[in-house]
């Protein structure tokens, strides 16, 4: 074999090896959730002039198949030109998604939760400057044998007005991975359980489209993928 021919073969092998390294390295970034999404969000009550409040959730989360634990980042943004003043955001779980803790927030008493929800935390914000955002680390569990939804209403500090509400929006997958260490879930996707009898999903609460607040008797109505949070609510004790 000539040295020129050997050099060509060696060069081809190096190039192939380099290509393989590039291909194998891409999955390492698969856990990157990318930018947050306001999917399932809707403005409700009119905010003060110059204030525009929204929320963001990750496009993708991952549930540990053994512990059912997952982590979610919930973000509140003021996209307006003026400061928000005192507001609060609630982080509420429904069906298979149970909120266990939200960093820097307090547990919502069961009597104050909207009917159909299973958990929630209230996060007070003294002021959100124009153009600023605030993110919260949400610890949750997800029962993959059920649907699972989350809701983020942004309200006045007393809860009498809701400026924005994201959800109840589902996380889920149509391709369960029961034998994998974790199952990736996508925002805005209804969950399909891995169980053989997964054609009929368990339902909890009073239904997907009507979620009245038990303590106040004020309803939370679904509109498309987003619901309208209560316009007023019984004051917290």
């Amino acid at each position: 074999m000539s040295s020129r021919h050997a050099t060509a073969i060696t060069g081809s092998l190096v190039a192939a090896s380099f290509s393989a390294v590039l291909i194998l390295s891409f999955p390492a970034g698969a856990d990157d959730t990318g930018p947050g999404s306001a999917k399932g969000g809707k403005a409700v009550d009119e905010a003060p002039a110059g204030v525009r409040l929204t929320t963001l959730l990750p496009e993708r989360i991952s549930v540990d198949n053994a512990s059912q634990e997952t982590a979610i980042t919930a973000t509140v943004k003021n996209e307006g030109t003026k400061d928000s003043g005192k507001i609060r955001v609630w982080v509420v779980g429904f069906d298979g998604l149970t909120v266990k803790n939200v960093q820097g927030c307090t547990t919502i008493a069961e009597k104050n939760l909207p009917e159909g929800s299973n958990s929630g935390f209230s996060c007070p914000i003294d002021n959100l400057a124009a153009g600023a955002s605030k993110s919260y680390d949400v610890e949750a569990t997800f029962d993959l044998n059920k649907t699972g939804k989350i809701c983020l209403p942004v309200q006045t500090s007393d809860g009498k007005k809701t400026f924005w509400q994201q959800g109840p929006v589902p996380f889920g997958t149509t391709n369960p991975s029961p034998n994998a260490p974790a199952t990736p879930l996508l925002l805005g996707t209804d969950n399909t359980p891995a169980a053989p009898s997964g054609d009929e999903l368990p339902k909890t609460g009073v239904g997907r489209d009507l979620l009245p607040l038990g303590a106040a008797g004020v309803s939370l109505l679904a509109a498309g993928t987003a619901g309208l949070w209560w316009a007023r609510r019984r004051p917290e004790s």
Side-chain angles (χ1 to χ4, degrees), residues 118-211:
N118 55 44
S119 55
F121 284 75
S122 178
C123 308
I125 301 174
D126 286 337
N127 183 58
L128 197 60
S133 64
K134 186 173 179 61
S135 294
Y136 296 90
D137 294 328
V138 180
E139 298 173 17
T141 58
F142 197 112
D143 184 347
L144 293 170
N145 290 318
K146 299 179 181 179
T147 58
K149 296 184 284 293
I150 191 170
C151 190
L152 304 178
V154 182
Q155 306 172 318
T156 53
S157 58
D158 59 8
K160 291 182 177 180
K161 287 187 177 182
T162 299
F163 301 128
W164 169 269
Q165 180 181 307
Q166 186 172 8
V169 62
F171 276 104
T173 178
T174 56
N175 185 24
S177 308
N179 298 321
T183 297
L185 302 182
L186 299 178
L187 183 67
T189 302
D190 284 319
N191 190 51
T192 300
S197 58
D199 291 338
E200 182 65 27
L201 293 173
K203 295 182 183 297
T204 60
V206 295
R208 296 177 58 120
D209 296 332
L210 181 61
L211 298 167

